[in-house]
Amino acid sequence: MARTARFTLGGEDYINIFKITLQFGEKASSLGVCEDLPAFSFRSFDHQIDGCFQADSEGKMEINFSPENVVYDPGIGSSTFPILEFEDRIKKSLLAVESYAIESNKLYLFMKDQKNPMVFLALKD
């Protein structure tokens, strides 16, 4: 989804590709809906989402955030259909996460009623 959204705007520019980030923390989230669960932060083309998550060693996972924790920060292409569709789908997909797997430096998030997982690559600063 992200590749389609980004490349629709400016072609396949592999050098200046926008990084969509997902960070999981160890400290408890300060958000009211989270009740001492660890925090996560997600940054996409137009949104910053903060929330919390639960995960166990068996691969089960749940991600939670409320609409007031989604901050709209318009970027390039904010009004294009590929970006709008991506942003809508990514929020729904994050809330539908049921399980995860980690293989070869990649995090796979599996969602309820979706065939393909979201894939995130671990990057070092």
Side-chain angles (χ1 to χ4, degrees):
M1 288 188 309
R3 180 180 169 146
T4 301
R6 174 65 181 126
F7 292 158
T8 298
L9 297 176
E12 295 199 18
D13 182 0
Y14 291 105
I15 296 171
N16 299 309
I17 192 164
F18 182 87
K19 290 180 181 74
I20 295 171
T21 59
L22 175 64
Q23 296 179 324
F24 291 107
E26 294 179 8
K27 294 183 181 178
S29 173
S30 61
L31 303 175
V33 297
C34 291
E35 298 184 28
D36 298 327
L37 295 173
F40 87 91
S41 179
F42 176 82
R43 176 71 186 150
S44 64
F45 300 110
D46 291 342
H47 289 88
Q48 170 73 37
I49 301 173
D50 294 309
C52 56
F53 71 99
Q54 294 183 75
D56 65 24
S57 60
E58 296 176 7
K60 301 258 188 238
M61 178 178 243
E62 181 180 337
I63 292 177
N64 190 6
F65 59 90
S66 56
E68 58 266 12
N69 301 115
V70 177
V71 177
Y72 179 65
D73 182 19
I76 184 169
S78 296
S79 59
T80 63
F81 287 121
I83 295 291
L84 293 171
E85 179 185 7
F86 172 80
E87 295 290 347
D88 184 53
R89 286 180 65 193
I90 199 73
K91 287 184 277 187
K92 290 177 183 174
S93 293
L94 285 171
L95 290 171
V97 168
E98 292 185 311
S99 62
Y100 73 97
I102 299 173
E103 289 181 28
S104 302
N105 212 32
K106 295 179 186 125
L107 170 66
Y108 296 87
L109 297 179
F110 299 93
M111 290 79 56
K112 190 181 325 179
D113 301 324
Q114 291 187 27
K115 179 181 168 184
N116 298 316
M118 285 191 284
V119 182
F120 293 89
L121 178 65
L123 298 175
K124 293 181 181 181
D125 290 334

